[in-house]
Amino acid sequence: DSGVTQTPKHLITATGQRVTLRCSPRSGDLSVYWYQQSLDQGLQFLIQYYNGEERAKGNILERFSAQQFPDLHSELNLSSLELGDSALYFCASSVDGVFGNTIYFGEGSWLTVV
Amino acid sequence: GNSVTQMEGPVTLSEEAFLTINCTYTATGYPSLFWYVQYPGEGLQLLLKATKADDKGSNKGFEATYRKETTSFHLEKGSVQVSDSAVYFCALSSNTGNQFYFGTGTSLTVIP
């Protein structure tokens, strides 16, 4: 158990809908990362937050947004969903987002868009 | 830019065989290098890491050495077990904000 908690574990929704994925980082970790894992694109970095502020942005679509709240939990919002958004979404956290520190992954949220 | 290239899978080995999974990287500056492992149905777990050139990371019989001259971080294990069957990801952490860049993953299956 990495200490990173993600909910829901599985989610099935229809095209055009909106979903929210939630992540609680490890106790004491200030930095949160979101990744998308799909069969054809591998593990793609979406976005990173540190202590409530956006720190880095990767291949995140405009239909997706995220935030980190004062209690350090984070949410990833996916809207106008398309079939191609079906993937495993991982949250990860690290102590302070400082170079070289290990990031710890949750077990992921499986999203299926039908 | 930063990127990681690792050998294509899948890899199938017999129990007790020697394992090598190649990983090379491109980075600006001096990254930290990691190997993560993903067992079926689980998230990624840190397997080992190395933070500077010539460092060797090791864990559970796996080893990898940070080679700056060849920009490589190959994963090795002398004798694999069935329980090592998983997907292995090589990754680097850039020295600008600790962004992680992952390889595409290499699936390993060990047969008895």
Side-chain angles (χ1 to χ4, degrees), chain A residues 11-94:
Chain A
L11 189 57
I12 301 174
T13 190
T15 54
Q17 296 299 303
R18 171 190 169 95
V19 299
T20 297
L21 309 180
R22 181 187 169 102
C23 170
S24 294
R26 294 188 323 152
S27 177
D29 283 1
L30 298 177
S31 195
V32 168
Y33 307 73
W34 286 99
Y35 287 85
Q36 179 193 59
Q37 185 179 36
S38 58
L39 283 176
D40 58 342
Q41 300 226 2
L43 198 62
Q44 298 286 318
F45 168 67
L46 296 179
I47 198 163
Q48 178 197 0
Y49 281 84
Y50 173 73
N51 204 20
E53 300 289 326
E54 181 184 305
R55 173 167 278 188
K57 188 177 277 192
N59 302 319
I60 189 166
L61 300 173
E62 286 192 8
R63 299 183 286 108
F64 296 179
S65 64
Q67 55 184 323
Q68 186 180 26
F69 294 86
D71 67 353
L72 302 177
H73 91 272
S74 178
E75 293 181 355
L76 178 67
N77 300 297
L78 314 174
S79 61
S80 302
L81 285 167
E82 302 175 358
L83 296 177
D85 298 327
S86 296
L88 183 54
Y89 291 85
F90 283 112
C91 172
S93 72
S94 69

Side-chain angles (χ1 to χ4, degrees), chain B residues 4-5 27 39 41 51 66-67 77 90 95-96 99 104 106 109:
Chain B
V4 173
T5 302
Y39 297 103
T51 57
Y66 187 163
R67 302 283 187 202
K77 186 176 185 182
C90 184
N95 58 356
T96 53
Q99 293 180 54
T104 52
T106 301
T109 300

Side-chain angles (χ1 to χ4, degrees), chain B residues 88-111:
Chain B
Y88 293 81
F89 292 89
C90 184
L92 72 82
S93 163
S94 70
N95 58 356
T96 53
N98 204 35
Q99 293 180 54
F100 271 66
Y101 299 83
F102 285 86
T104 52
T106 301
S107 175
L108 170 67
T109 300
V110 180
I111 54 178

